[in-house]
Amino acid sequence: QVQLVESGGGLVEPGASLKLTCSMTGFTLSKFAMGWFRATYDKGFEWVSSISNGGLTTKYIESAEGRFTISRDNVAKELYLEISDLKPEDAGMYICAKGRADLYLTTNYRTPDRYDTWGQGTQVSVSS
């Protein structure tokens, strides 16, 4: 059974850092690109970042501004998203997603229907 479980969220002050983790079971991680999305009240559901199956190619939402780092450990079957200098607009429910078998980070990687399995999410709140 394919399962994705996120952790690492929390309530932090502006300027702090967080490392989100997505732990996976039920499939061979090294075969699939992965992504992070977030859900917020004001922006709805938006793509945040993606990483190729081998980890060599990464993509980020423009507002990441160099503060987000996506990475993966295919042996440990984990996906990570490190966020530094957190801003209130970074807040949201961060959800990891497994890419479809034909997802490559050349086109359409921001589109939710290019991913076929989702976690439940981990909440990130930023407030002083």
Side-chain angles (χ1 to χ4, degrees):
Q1 178 180 359
V2 177
Q3 190 172 15
L4 284 64
V5 179
E6 302 91 337
S7 61
L11 172 62
V12 298
E13 294 185 348
S17 299
L18 280 177
K19 183 176 183 178
L20 309 181
T21 299
C22 176
S23 301
M24 292 161 273
T25 58
F27 66 102
T28 303
L29 177 58
S30 61
K31 294 184 177 180
F32 300 94
M34 298 292 297
W36 286 97
F37 289 73
R38 68 185 172 199
T40 64
Y41 287 114
D42 55 348
K43 300 177 185 176
F45 193 71
E46 64 180 349
W47 170 82
V48 174
S49 181
S50 294
I51 186 169
S52 61
N53 63 324
L56 295 181
T57 301
T58 57
K59 303 289 187 182
Y60 299 96
I61 192 171
E62 288 76 9
S63 62
E65 300 172 328
R67 300 180 296 111
F68 289 36
T69 303
I70 189 171
S71 60
R72 60 194 293 159
D73 184 333
N74 287 341
V75 175
K77 302 192 76 172
E78 293 186 336
L79 175 73
Y80 311 103
L81 184 68
E82 297 181 79
I83 311 173
S84 62
D85 189 22
L86 275 152
K87 305 177 185 298
E89 53 265 37
D90 297 325
M93 179 70 76
Y94 282 73
I95 303 163
C96 67
K98 171 183 165 289
R100 295 188 182 276
D102 60 351
L103 172 63
Y104 300 99
L105 301 195
T106 52
T107 185
N108 296 331
Y109 50 84
R110 301 179 184 230
T111 307
D113 66 5
R114 302 301 297 144
Y115 301 80
D116 59 13
T117 308
W118 302 80
Q120 294 297 308
T122 186
Q123 181 68 41
V124 172
S125 301
V126 184
S127 176
S128 55

